[in-house]
Amino acid sequence: MKYIVITSLVLLLSACSFRETTEEKLSNILTEIYQSESDYRELQSELNDTEKKEQANFQSMMELTKDQKEELTKQVDETAKLLDKRLELVKKESASIKQASEKMADIETLISNTKDDSEKDNLKKMEEAFKNRYTAYDALTEQYNTLANLQDELYNMLITDDVEVKEIQDKVEQVNEQNELVQKAVDKFNVLTTQLNQVKEAVFASLQKGDK
């Protein structure tokens, strides 16, 4: 009879040890989010290179005159292809971020299932930090696509015969102004990414402290 009691206790202890803590559940969710954003991270270098090539082409085009129509048309075509490639990369990047943002449902479920008020509050802070970052990314993408449309219009104007120099200058000004908005959106996204990482560190530190 004693052996049966001891065996039952061992089974009970084993069952308890296999139950995931809030920290472990959160860690698994964050791992999935990180993996979902893998395409976003991997595309950064190629996107940056494409932007630099496009910028170099644009500078070269601006040095050509209408008398060099054939060369100008060739360069505009090449630059437009780079712009299309860039937008395709951003599309893939956005899909990666969207997939990651859908994991927020798992954090919401974890919050609902968490009984400890302190843990629940910390998880809510992390959820808010994630949502702020993803909202900022959506705003960034919108500004970026607006910039790309203006750049495409500018490229086409360079090979349009009846376009006045003033019209091109005005379009260049619009592009520059939009580029500033994009940069501000990039800066905001980067700041919110840093803040998210800080919140994650603080939450895990709190969870680890609570487990002791």
Side-chain angles (χ1 to χ4, degrees):
M1 191 70 180
K2 286 183 179 179
Y3 287 108
I4 294 174
V5 172
I6 292 171
T7 303
S8 297
L9 284 172
V10 171
L11 289 173
L12 181 60
L13 290 171
S14 297
C16 289
S17 66
F18 278 108
R19 190 178 66 189
E20 284 186 314
T21 63
T22 300
E23 179 188 352
E24 289 168 336
K25 290 176 182 177
L26 180 59
S27 180
N28 290 336
I29 294 172
L30 295 187
T31 297
E32 291 179 1
I33 291 175
Y34 183 80
Q35 291 172 343
S36 296
E37 289 193 13
S38 60
D39 284 348
Y40 162 75
R41 292 190 302 275
E42 291 168 5
L43 289 168
Q44 293 301 299
S45 178
E46 186 176 2
L47 181 58
N48 187 48
D49 288 344
T50 304
E51 287 175 342
K52 287 181 178 178
K53 289 177 183 177
E54 187 179 334
Q55 181 62 27
N57 275 22
F58 175 69
Q59 295 296 338
S60 178
M61 286 190 300
M62 294 301 287
E63 293 173 3
L64 297 174
T65 66
K66 286 292 182 71
D67 294 333
Q68 298 168 290
K69 184 68 177 291
E70 186 175 345
E71 178 61 25
L72 182 58
T73 301
K74 178 184 176 183
Q75 288 201 23
V76 166
D77 183 56
E78 291 175 353
T79 307
K81 287 179 180 177
L82 286 170
L83 186 147
D84 289 340
K85 179 183 178 181
R86 181 158 55 92
L87 290 178
E88 188 60 33
L89 290 172
V90 170
K91 187 177 179 180
K92 290 179 181 178
E93 181 186 277
S94 297
S96 177
I97 292 292
K98 184 176 185 297
Q99 183 181 12
S101 68
E102 290 171 353
K103 301 293 181 182
M104 288 297 95
D106 294 335
I107 293 182
E108 289 175 6
T109 299
L110 181 57
I111 291 172
S112 298
N113 295 334
T114 300
K115 305 302 181 184
D116 185 277
D117 288 339
S118 178
E119 289 185 356
K120 192 183 287 284
D121 288 342
N122 281 326
L123 291 173
K124 286 180 178 179
K125 288 177 183 177
M126 182 179 292
E127 179 188 35
E128 183 181 7
F130 263 113
K131 287 183 176 179
N132 288 342
R133 177 173 177 265
Y134 288 137
T135 298
Y137 178 81
D138 289 341
L140 166 58
T141 303
E142 185 176 342
Q143 296 285 13
Y144 192 91
N145 287 334
T146 298
L147 173 62
N149 289 333
L150 289 172
Q151 289 169 320
D152 187 47
E153 292 172 4
L154 175 57
Y155 299 158
N156 289 324
M157 289 176 71
L158 295 176
I159 53 174
T160 302
D161 293 328
D162 58 350
V163 174
E164 299 292 333
V165 174
K166 180 66 168 59
E167 292 179 80
I168 293 177
Q169 290 174 337
D170 289 343
K171 185 61 68 174
V172 169
E173 187 174 337
Q174 288 178 36
V175 167
N176 289 337
E177 289 175 355
Q178 184 61 32
N179 191 51
E180 289 181 10
L181 293 178
V182 169
Q183 190 54 56
K184 287 181 180 178
V186 168
D187 291 342
K188 182 175 181 179
F189 176 73
N190 289 339
V191 166
L192 289 173
T193 298
T194 299
Q195 288 179 357
L196 171 60
N197 289 331
Q198 292 171 343
V199 170
K200 283 194 289 187
E201 288 179 9
V203 169
F204 273 107
S206 178
L207 289 174
Q208 289 167 1
K209 186 177 179 181
D211 289 338
K212 292 179 181 179

